[in-house]
Amino acid sequence: MTLTVLSSFVLTAFLLNLSPGPSILYVMSRSVVNGRAAGVFAALGLASGSAMWALLTAIGVSALIASSRPAFVTLQIAGAAYLLYLGITGLRDQPFTVTTDKAARVSGLRSYLQGFVVEATNPKTVTFFLALVPQVIVTLHHPGLPVLIGFCLIVPLTALPIDVTVGVTGGTLATKLAARPRAGRALNYLSSAVLIGLASLVLFDV
């Protein structure tokens, strides 16, 4: 593995994760509705979903999915449907308030699991691992499995600090607005609208 290949891949992964998409917008929506902790847990869930694709790519499973158009379309539709579900159910969420530690843990676990599913079905992430990563792997001249796994994990490792920052920022905003129910409700509607809009864009792109 040359330094040029590694640095180019790190930069590409960073720019992919930095660009607005389902991942960043999902973290923001969870943090403004449920607070900083939920945003951070959502970021961890997204990183886990991306790590899953990294492992699948390293062992060659993603290549099988890439060769099946129906399988790829099914993932896109599933991702769009889940974003739509989150957007619709989010309309019933209560505006963010300062909650107990127990409530925060429940919200964090839910945000983590939802984040995992969002990233596991994120078309941008799936396309990156199915299309670009295998092409880069070919240039590595048959590395061992540990090296291959480490290389693929660059994607979630570059995404995590970005998503955590977004989660903390959104949670800070929610905390400032916690005493303003109308503003909190408006944020709920906005985050739901964003998720529903993302679902529409994913379906349109199928």
Side-chain angles (χ1 to χ4, degrees):
M1 183 189 307
T2 66
L3 181 60
T4 301
V5 172
L6 179 60
S7 58
S8 297
F9 185 74
V10 170
L11 178 61
T12 302
F14 178 78
L15 293 177
L16 169 78
N17 292 313
L18 188 61
S19 62
S23 300
I24 285 181
L25 293 176
Y26 170 73
V27 172
M28 179 61 73
S29 72
R30 289 304 87 193
S31 62
V32 299
V33 172
N34 299 117
R36 284 190 294 266
V40 172
F41 274 104
L44 292 173
L46 292 173
S48 298
S50 182
M52 179 200 72
W53 278 111
L55 294 175
L56 290 178
T57 300
I59 63 178
V61 174
S62 65
L64 298 177
I65 299 175
S67 65
S68 173
R69 176 64 180 173
F72 183 69
V73 171
T74 298
L75 278 173
Q76 286 184 297
I77 293 175
Y82 192 64
L83 286 170
L84 181 62
Y85 164 78
L86 291 178
I88 293 175
T89 56
L91 295 174
R92 300 195 301 266
D93 286 344
Q94 295 299 315
F96 174 76
T97 57
V98 179
T99 58
T100 63
D101 289 341
K102 180 178 180 180
R105 286 196 296 270
V106 172
S107 176
L109 177 60
R110 184 179 68 173
S111 295
Y112 172 84
L113 294 175
Q114 289 178 346
F116 178 86
V117 176
V118 167
E119 189 68 358
T121 57
N122 181 356
K124 187 171 69 173
T125 300
V126 174
T127 301
F128 186 78
F129 277 109
L130 297 188
L132 180 60
V133 175
Q135 295 181 32
V136 178
I137 288 176
V138 172
T139 68
L140 302 182
H141 305 295
H142 307 290
L145 184 59
V147 173
L148 197 55
I149 291 175
F151 183 79
C152 293
L153 286 175
I154 289 174
V155 179
L157 289 176
T158 54
L160 186 57
I162 296 172
D163 292 336
V164 168
T165 300
V166 171
V168 171
T169 301
T172 300
L173 174 63
T175 300
K176 291 181 178 180
L177 296 176
R180 302 177 182 178
R182 289 185 179 179
R185 177 56 65 186
L187 283 176
N188 277 26
Y189 289 148
L190 179 60
S191 65
S192 293
V194 167
L195 292 173
I196 292 172
L198 283 173
S200 301
L201 289 175
V202 170
L203 283 176
F204 182 77
D205 192 49
V206 171

